[in-house]
Amino acid sequence: MSLFWRIFALNAVVLGAATALLLWAPVTVSVPVLLTEAVILVGGLVVMLVANAALLRWGLTPLDQLTRLMTKVDLLRPGQRLPVDGRGEVAEVIRTFNAMLQRLEQERAASSGRVLLAQEAERRRIAQELHDEVGQTMTAILLGLKRAADDAPAPLREDLQEVQEITRASLDEVRRLVRRLRPGVLDDLGLISALTSLTEDFATHTGLQVTRRFDADLPALEPETELVLYRVAQESLTNAARHADARRVTVALFRTDAGVGLGVTDDGCGIKAPREGAGILGMRERALLIGADLDITSAPRAGTQVRLSAPVPGKQPTA
């Protein structure tokens, strides 16, 4: 039944019931109208309006549900759908909206994937240039400073050695940036070694206490999945250091029914902003790239927990 005929039928039911009451009820209208008759007529009108409003509310409930979903739908949280009942116009609108959401989620995932892959390629290129050009140049400068310091008199030697230490510290910082841009240990030794190196470097530079809990029997993962897990852990640690005012952070990697889970928990102040920042949105886009579920829970003075559940192709969840 179309929306027009549904509303028409609902009104017809109400008006028909009112007409039947006027025909068969022992109530008459005098001229002029008596007070008791006016009360009865007004009461009947109120009952008719209330019944009409209730029936219309029931008939238009699916459209209200659709409106609420449209105002809060988020393509970074896929799977939000409305149930479809019947074959009328309202059901067709809901069915079309669900299909549109499905298409938009697929297009968003594809476009985010292209952007993230391009971003990783650019990071790889920058890291390679920093390693080959800047790193080698600073290494040559260090060697030149060492030779000059060996041949210089004592007062000048101390100055050259001081410059040498500054250059060495700058070279270490460049190497750390290279590891952040493109973790070579992830490609060479795998996810466990990469996360171990990441957490050790994080603890050294921030002074926070980092606890690692890695399962030993993790399933084999695709390189793309390992990279997403690494980047989400990296962003979570960065947020804990910059915004959480935390003292301890726990990084866990564990087996789940569908694949592998990553958990990063801190004891900080929690997320204060009502809206998610670029870092969290970036994590959601990365999770969407591999079909993973990202859940972020936070409470004031109770810390923040980031949990990413990444599926493994060919592995079915257990009952």
Side-chain angles (χ1 to χ4, degrees), residues 112-124:
S112 297
R114 289 191 294 269
V115 170
L116 292 174
L117 291 176
Q119 183 184 80
E120 290 298 333
E122 184 66 12
R123 286 184 173 186
R124 187 184 298 110

Side-chain angles (χ1 to χ4, degrees), residues 141-179:
I141 293 174
L142 275 176
L143 295 175
L145 288 172
K146 185 178 183 305
R147 288 194 299 268
D150 292 340
D151 299 334
L156 182 58
R157 184 183 301 118
E158 294 180 0
D159 293 338
L160 290 174
Q161 288 175 348
E162 183 178 353
V163 174
Q164 193 176 0
E165 291 302 319
I166 295 174
T167 306
R168 183 177 290 111
S170 299
L171 180 59
D172 292 340
E173 183 66 20
V174 168
R175 289 171 176 169
R176 190 177 72 87
L177 289 175
V178 168
R179 289 195 300 269

